[in-house]
Amino acid sequence: MRSPRPYSPVAGPGAQSLTERRKAATQLDIARAACELFAEHGPDGTTAEDIAHRAGVALRTFYRYFRNKQEAVGPLLAGGGDAWRALLAEEDPGTPLDEALERAVTRSLSDSQAVEEGLAVTRGLLRAAATDEALRAVWYRVNQDSEERLVPVIARLAGEGADPLGVRLLAAAATDAIRIALELWSTTEAPVSGPGSPAELAVRCLRDLTAAMPLLRRSEPAAPPSA
């Protein structure tokens, strides 16, 4: 049985060519095989040959896409960031950014069986990463890539004239809110929903990290005129 995608579905392929879609599908097959084997045997007990065999591809095909076994999980981890950015992009410009961010974060980390099953996979990968430096490096790289891709999404929502520094800081804070929430949750036995869940932790992190950001400050309502 194939492992589900970590914590959120991958965004659609858009205008990708048939060849590009086939390559992406092969990468995902390899990534799912890697997740399965890491969960069963850990990174130390899994080889690139094992992953290629489980994915039904030749070893040379594995190395065409990935330099090592840890990098094979990258497409699955990246899928979560792709999905939550897509949800944020659905928000209308002018929507208060704090509301838009919290809504997208909550939606991406809850409300479907696929997300819940994917979160369980993510928990296993993050636990394995605690003792595997190369796997941690993949996790950090995926988060860095997601942060960079989040910048134009936030800039569009913030509107013309938004402070570029504020946009960059907010992208960094939002990305780290999800990263920290997932890392903390993975060390516990907390459920995938409700108190202590990734969605609940991520919203708490987001509020704490962005509380003083000018880009999220709302203007105070004008005082009524004096009599």
Side-chain angles (χ1 to χ4, degrees):
M1 179 175 131
R2 295 293 187 196
S3 295
R5 290 163 286 193
Y7 84 81
S8 290
V10 178
Q16 284 183 320
S17 69
L18 178 60
T19 298
E20 289 171 331
R21 291 198 298 272
R22 285 174 174 168
K23 288 180 178 178
T26 300
Q27 287 178 311
L28 283 174
D29 284 342
I30 295 171
R32 292 185 184 112
C35 286
E36 291 171 2
L37 289 167
F38 286 169
E40 294 169 11
H41 309 292
D44 288 343
T46 301
T47 66
E49 289 88 347
D50 295 332
I51 296 171
H53 180 74
R54 178 70 65 92
V57 301
L59 184 59
R60 66 177 179 276
T61 301
F62 175 94
Y63 282 116
R64 185 182 306 156
Y65 296 115
F66 305 108
R67 290 182 298 176
N68 57 53
K69 60 188 179 182
Q70 287 89 349
E71 284 195 358
V73 303
L76 286 175
L77 293 175
D82 291 343
W84 105 262
R85 287 193 310 275
L87 290 170
L88 184 61
E90 292 176 2
E91 298 284 343
D92 294 325
T95 302
L97 279 171
D98 55 345
E99 295 178 11
L101 286 166
E102 288 189 18
R103 187 157 43 240
V105 167
T106 301
R107 289 175 64 195
S108 71
L109 294 172
S110 58
D111 297 335
S112 82
Q113 182 178 354
V115 169
E116 292 185 357
E117 291 174 347
L119 281 169
V121 175
T122 302
R123 173 182 260 161
L125 286 174
L126 291 178
R127 287 179 174 178
T131 56
D132 191 291
E133 184 176 346
L135 197 54
R136 286 199 305 277
V138 174
W139 171 243
Y140 294 142
R141 189 196 70 227
V142 164
N143 278 274
Q144 179 63 38
D145 289 346
S146 183
E147 177 187 323
E148 292 173 1
R149 295 176 184 179
L150 183 60
V151 170
V153 179
I154 290 178
R156 184 186 70 85
L157 294 176
E160 188 175 350
D163 176 22
L165 177 60
V167 170
R168 287 293 304 274
L169 288 173
L170 186 54
T175 302
D176 276 347
I178 295 177
R179 177 183 63 80
I180 292 168
L182 287 169
E183 289 174 353
L184 179 61
W185 174 77
S186 73
T187 66
T188 73
E189 298 300 329
V192 296
S193 61
S197 68
E200 191 261 350
L201 291 172
V203 169
R204 285 174 55 191
C205 289
L206 186 63
R207 290 176 179 175
D208 287 347
L209 288 170
T210 63
M213 287 190 176
L215 199 61
L216 296 187
R217 289 179 187 163
R218 301 186 190 180
S219 58
E220 295 294 331
S226 56

